[in-house]
Amino acid sequence: MTYFPEEVVEHIFSFLPSHSDRNTVSLVCKVWYEVERLSRRSVFVGNCYAIRPERAVLRFPNVRALTVKGKPHFADFNLVPPDWGGYAGPWIEAAARSCAGLEELRMKRMVVSDENLELLARSFPRFKALVLISCEGFSTDGLAAIASHCKLLRELDLQENDVDDRGPRWLSFFPDSCTSLVSLNFACIKGEVNSGALERLVARSPNLRSLRLNRSVSVDTLTKILARTPNLEDLGTGNLTDEFQHESYAKLASVLDKCKMLKSLSGFWDASPSCVPFIYPLCHQLTGLNLSYAPTLDYSDLTKMVSRCVKLQRLWVLDCISDKGLQVVATSCKDLQELRVFPSDFYVAGYSAVTEEGLVAISSGCRKLSSLLYFCHQMTNDALNTVAENCPNFIRFRLCILEPKKPDAMTGQPLDEGFGAIVRKCKGLRRLSMSGLLTDKVFMYIGEYAKQLEMLSIAFAGDSDKGMMHVMNGCKHLRKLEIRDSPFGDGALLGNVAKYETMRSLWMSSCNVTFKGCQVLASMMPMLNVEIMNELVGSSEMEENHGDHSKVDKLYVYRTTAGARDDAPNFVKIL
Amino acid sequence: MSTATANSAASPAVSGLDYDDTALTLALPGSSSAADRNKRAADHDDKPPSPKARAVGWPPVRTYRRNALRDDEAKLVKVAVDGAPYLRKVDLAAHDGYAALLRALHAMFASCLHADGAARKLVDAATGAEYVPTYEDKDGDWMLVGDVPFKMFVDSCKRIRLMKSSEAVNLSPRTSLR
């Protein structure tokens, strides 16, 4: 291979599908390293603190698509204090200096400011796609900058971000010359948008395939927009409330009828049950349906819709669908691959209309099911066993029983056997999230059978360090381990320290690890950052009283080539 | 739910706690809270759990989703306490008045402060120092909480700081907390 001209080697590399393959070939020799790095077009950084931004962009100066992820996953549930970190600024600044050809930026759980967006908009003349997921720190002013300056913008996809709303004008900043939009998602913008500007923008975007509106967009505006976009494939509606005349709905139904390419539907903000029949003509062609923001639709509305969705592959729904409704899904949606059932009520302890029966029904009817997120009231080992038998193709299995430590609803036993069946039968399982009453035994099963497992989430589970050790020793492909409120301590933390080098990160909160244990870990493994966050005002008193044996509230450990980060707030101690 | 509350005894939920169970009778910091933390591994809670009490971040649902399914808009602001290592967030829209808000603030920082019920102040049990709730308004000025009608306060408050009362003398005078 070394005798081939570099262009040939580069061409061969272009067939390598994954980042890890490209990473591997770059290790072969210096020539290949150089060829690979200069021809790399897509860079994925799973932890923004694993490498210095400057180093990443200098190695891959010709990168076109950059993806960076920031805060740990449990930040989604308020377990990471505000101001922890994950700043986009250094990445955008480094790219602005070294990668003028950047076209796409994807960021997840990062803090992005308006200044960062302004810099982004001005620094990359060929910029085409911005995707921000669960980010915060910016406002609609930053979006205005993107709209104004990114002349070739194809994709602006804002998913579940916390955006400061400074008014509707941002949408008007797309110049008349901007006709390149393919995908626009502003569902998470809280305030109103100028409907005239929106309609004009859509009218001059012939390539628009995906459009997700926000809550403020009315049925009338939606109708006008859809009249212009018969080729739309993915639609997130605005609000579908009850305040409209029958005529409005009739007009909507007639434009929807023309959208023959429409495969994916979401939104349904404040959806009134009377809007549901107008969706029926679309149902047979849908492969994706997200009704999880429509608490106003009950079991009957949902099942009438879902029973018509014979091609459905992805369904997100609230638990008001109930077990009976899931039975309907099971009989109607034979192609279902992904199901998410969310709780509609977080404040009433443990109640949900959905139990193990719904899940068993689904598993029995939807044999292609590979991805599950299921919030429910109760579960049994028997049910989990049946599910595992019926659906051995699970890749992602996340089960959340609302009441922590709840045992098998029939037998009162822990749910070890049930989850054991899942990991035993589903040989391709990559992600697992467990709940209910669980002892060390379930971890023994996981360590023994879950050979492809990459991410494991544990809450209120286990009896002793042995539990965590089973996982650390058994799961060869483990990348992310996140644990809360479980009795694992220093013995588990230090039981297999070399493992952390093969993982992206470990999170432990409200467990039994001590300050001393963390210090030992840090001293044994200099290539890890060991971040400690303690809560109490008197935490220095705690250390005086109990010394190094004081328990650590929150621990975040990750491998890094960058050393201790310099942007850590005062409550984060990096050992 | 019982062991959930035992395990999080040192980390009270941000909101949703049944205040009748927790306000004003919380143990003072430095005594049982330390013992609680050490017993956490071995112990199970003895008393029956409050039905509304739950652990922080449970069930694991994204904040975005929680806010989207609410009837009203959440108004989240950061809360800092002088001397506490990090911030919390409180939802101003979730409380119907100053009294409810102060109870929530107390619950958040209960491990280091306790409420003086009569005077509606927050007191550091160890030093006896009083904390006064203050906030930064839309104009960037720091004001004492309680001066303006509650709804006006919710509108203009950008963030909250529980300031030691010795430092609060420079702020605008007030008659009493409403």
Side-chain angles (χ1 to χ4, degrees):
Chain A
M1 272 288 270
T2 6
Y3 302 119
F4 286 176
E6 287 179 10
E7 308 83 68
V8 176
V9 177
E10 181 181 320
H11 185 67
I12 294 173
F13 288 173
S14 69
F15 291 99
L16 291 172
S18 73
H19 295 110
S20 57
D21 287 340
R22 289 195 73 115
N23 292 345
T24 307
V25 300
S26 65
L27 294 172
V28 167
C29 62
K30 280 209 167 88
V31 172
W32 281 28
Y33 178 88
E34 281 299 301
V35 170
E36 196 285 315
R37 79 178 187 89
L38 293 172
S39 61
R40 177 94 69 131
R41 296 283 177 261
S42 166
V43 172
F44 173 83
V45 180
N47 174 4
C48 65
Y49 291 120
I51 182 172
R52 288 207 168 280
E54 301 76 39
R55 194 168 156 182
V57 301
L58 284 173
R59 179 171 166 187
F60 304 112
N62 300 316
V63 63
R64 302 258 196 278
L66 176 63
T67 303
V68 188
K69 296 168 96 171
K71 300 183 207 172
H73 173 237
F74 274 177
D76 284 353
F77 317 129
N78 288 335
L79 290 179
V80 177
D83 299 333
W84 171 84
Y87 300 106
W91 287 90
I92 296 176
E93 286 152 25
R97 279 191 294 270
S98 311
C99 312
L102 190 70
E103 296 180 7
E104 301 175 24
L105 181 64
R106 290 171 178 78
M107 295 196 143
K108 187 169 186 179
R109 284 190 209 99
M110 295 194 72
V111 179
V112 185
S113 70
D114 287 342
E115 290 72 32
N116 298 153
L117 291 176
E118 180 97 25
L119 180 64
L120 175 69
R122 291 183 189 279
S123 306
F124 307 106
R126 292 210 290 274
F127 197 74
K128 294 194 174 70
L130 178 63
V131 180
L132 298 176
I133 304 175
S134 297
C135 295
E136 55 170 344
F138 61 103
S139 78
T140 44
D141 289 350
L143 300 179
I146 298 286
S148 325
H149 301 294
C150 299
K151 309 258 179 275
L152 301 175
L153 196 68
R154 287 212 288 246
E155 189 177 338
L156 179 60
D157 185 2
L158 306 168
Q159 297 179 30
E160 302 195 342
N161 302 291
D162 185 10
V163 186
D164 191 18
D165 193 85
R166 302 245 176 104
R169 287 178 55 244
W170 66 275
L171 199 67
S172 314
F173 278 82
F174 282 104
D176 290 341
S177 54
C178 175
T179 57
S180 47
L181 274 181
V182 174
S183 168
L184 176 63
N185 173 5
F186 62 91
C188 65
I189 302 298
K190 297 174 195 122
E192 296 195 356
V193 290
N194 183 314
S195 49
L198 177 59
E199 290 165 37
R200 286 190 297 278
L201 178 61
V202 169
R204 64 177 185 275
S205 304
N207 299 321
L208 199 63
R209 294 291 170 268
S210 168
L211 179 63
R212 297 192 182 188
L213 309 169
N214 77 353
R215 215 163 188 158
S216 74
V217 175
S218 68
V219 169
D220 284 341
T221 305
L222 175 62
T223 305
K224 289 192 192 129
I225 287 172
L226 287 175
R228 303 283 207 160
T229 56
N231 294 328
L232 206 62
E233 294 169 12
D234 168 45
L235 173 67
T237 71
N239 69 71
L240 294 176
T241 60
D242 216 356
E243 297 158 10
F244 298 95
Q245 312 299 333
H246 184 85
E247 202 190 304
S248 294
Y249 278 127
K251 279 191 198 153
L252 177 64
S254 96
V255 292
L256 278 176
D257 200 45
K258 300 199 175 65
C259 295
K260 300 295 182 202
M261 315 274 288
L262 199 55
K263 297 230 170 34
S264 165
L265 206 52
S266 61
F268 290 91
W269 303 103
D270 311 309
S272 132
S274 45
C275 81
V276 166
F278 296 98
I279 310 291
Y280 291 163
L282 278 180
C283 289
H284 73 278
Q285 63 195 55
L286 293 180
T287 57
L289 183 59
N290 182 354
L291 297 165
S292 67
Y293 290 105
T296 38
L297 297 179
D298 69 7
Y299 146 80
S300 143
D301 307 312
L302 294 169
T303 46
K304 284 192 198 128
M305 226 190 296
V306 154
S307 58
R308 291 169 157 83
C309 297
V310 291
K311 290 205 188 121
L312 208 59
Q313 294 172 16
R314 189 175 41 86
L315 175 64
W316 291 23
V317 78
L318 288 171
D319 60 8
C320 16
I321 195 171
S322 79
D323 286 335
K324 265 198 309 178
L326 290 174
Q327 184 73 264
V328 173
V329 173
T331 36
S332 317
C333 310
K334 294 303 182 189
D335 285 342
L336 198 68
Q337 292 168 23
E338 178 183 325
L339 174 66
R340 296 196 192 190
V341 180
F342 292 97
S344 48
D345 192 342
F346 322 112
Y347 300 107
V348 175
Y351 177 72
S352 159
V354 150
T355 70
E356 77 277 10
E357 289 181 17
L359 186 58
V360 168
I362 289 282
S363 74
S364 161
C366 309
R367 298 298 175 108
K368 296 183 189 170
L369 200 62
S370 61
S371 176
L372 180 76
L373 172 61
Y374 196 80
F375 285 82
C376 62
H377 173 49
Q378 62 183 48
M379 189 47 57
T380 66
N381 285 307
D382 214 48
L384 285 172
N385 199 29
T386 307
V387 169
E389 291 278 357
N390 289 338
C391 297
N393 298 319
F394 273 116
I395 295 176
R396 285 177 286 276
F397 190 89
R398 293 191 282 164
L399 182 72
C400 180
I401 303 165
L402 289 168
E403 191 186 312
K405 297 205 174 201
K406 194 165 185 182
D408 180 315
M410 261 186 347
T411 67
Q413 293 297 303
L415 290 172
D416 301 335
E417 298 305 317
F419 282 103
I422 295 284
V423 294
R424 209 171 18 248
K425 307 256 166 66
C426 305
K427 302 203 190 315
L429 194 68
R430 293 208 298 255
R431 183 172 178 183
L432 178 65
S433 196
M434 309 187 292
S435 56
L437 183 63
L438 296 164
T439 73
D440 283 347
K441 208 169 192 197
V442 74
F443 297 110
M444 189 184 79
Y445 292 140
I446 291 173
E448 192 172 339
Y449 295 108
K451 287 310 178 191
Q452 300 301 316
L453 196 66
E454 295 176 8
M455 182 171 177
L456 179 63
S457 308
I458 300 170
F460 306 103
D463 307 312
S464 75
D465 287 346
K466 285 208 195 82
M468 186 169 153
M469 286 316 303
H470 285 307
V471 173
M472 291 288 283
N473 293 336
C475 299
K476 297 295 173 214
H477 288 100
L478 193 66
R479 289 189 297 115
K480 288 179 277 184
L481 181 58
E482 48 184 24
I483 307 174
R484 61 167 293 177
D485 294 276
S486 300
F488 306 132
D490 296 341
L493 183 68
L494 300 171
N496 184 355
V497 295
K499 177 84 174 162
Y500 298 121
E501 263 193 297
T502 68
M503 290 167 59
R504 183 186 299 173
S505 65
L506 166 73
W507 169 279
M508 293 179 78
S509 57
S510 304
C511 297
N512 291 347
V513 291
T514 69
F515 187 71
K516 177 77 179 170
C518 296
Q519 275 180 320
V520 170
L521 176 62
S523 63
M524 287 175 79
M525 304 289 286
M527 74 293 293
L528 302 179
N529 275 356
V530 178
E531 294 197 7
I532 286 178
M533 291 165 258
N534 266 344
E535 178 151 357
L536 295 185
V537 165
S539 60
S540 53
E541 283 170 30
M542 296 297 296
E543 279 166 36
E544 270 174 43
N545 292 338
H546 303 276
D548 301 329
H549 300 293
S550 55
K551 297 243 179 82
V552 162
D553 279 330
K554 297 171 206 268
L555 169 67
Y556 185 48
V557 178
Y558 54 91
R559 66 181 177 190
T560 180
T561 57
R565 59 188 176 105
D566 52 19
D567 62 2
N570 57 2
F571 59 82
V572 171
K573 197 163 180 175
I574 304 181
L575 300 177
Chain B
M1 284 288 213
S2 56
T3 27
T5 50
N7 284 341
S8 343
S11 328
V14 172
S15 63
L17 273 179
D18 190 339
Y19 296 123
D20 292 336
D21 284 352
T22 59
L24 305 184
T25 55
L26 274 170
L28 302 178
S31 54
S32 58
S33 59
D36 275 348
R37 280 158 69 72
N38 286 334
K39 279 166 65 185
R40 215 188 329 190
D43 237 348
H44 291 284
D45 205 359
D46 292 323
K47 56 176 167 53
S50 159
K52 289 191 193 144
R54 52 187 170 78
V56 175
W58 193 267
V61 173
R62 279 188 182 166
T63 317
Y64 174 83
R65 174 170 291 280
R66 284 180 192 261
N67 292 341
L69 290 180
R70 294 166 61 101
D71 281 336
D72 42 52
E73 275 289 306
K75 168 117 192 225
L76 286 171
V77 296
K78 292 182 185 174
V79 185
V81 175
D82 285 355
Y86 57 70
L87 308 180
R88 293 282 213 172
K89 275 189 172 171
V90 69
D91 178 5
L92 297 181
H95 305 285
D96 52 24
Y98 284 117
L101 177 62
L102 283 173
R103 284 201 295 274
L105 291 177
H106 156 250
M108 256 184 251
F109 293 98
S111 48
C112 48
L113 303 172
H114 82 272
D116 177 343
R120 293 235 192 98
K121 283 188 231 171
L122 297 161
V123 181
D124 181 341
T127 64
E130 270 180 16
Y131 285 81
V132 169
T134 64
Y135 70 102
E136 184 183 5
D137 71 4
K138 276 185 177 146
D139 302 324
D141 298 319
W142 284 92
M143 319 281 285
L144 286 170
V145 168
D147 285 354
V148 300
F150 187 70
K151 284 235 171 331
M152 200 185 293
F153 157 74
V154 169
D155 245 354
S156 65
C157 172
K158 276 172 44 189
R159 56 188 157 136
I160 292 177
R161 180 176 155 202
L162 301 186
M163 206 183 273
K164 290 205 171 95
S165 54
S166 49
E167 287 183 36
V169 288
N170 295 327
L171 298 175
S172 50
R174 62 181 169 112
T175 47
S176 63
L177 276 175
R178 291 180 206 209

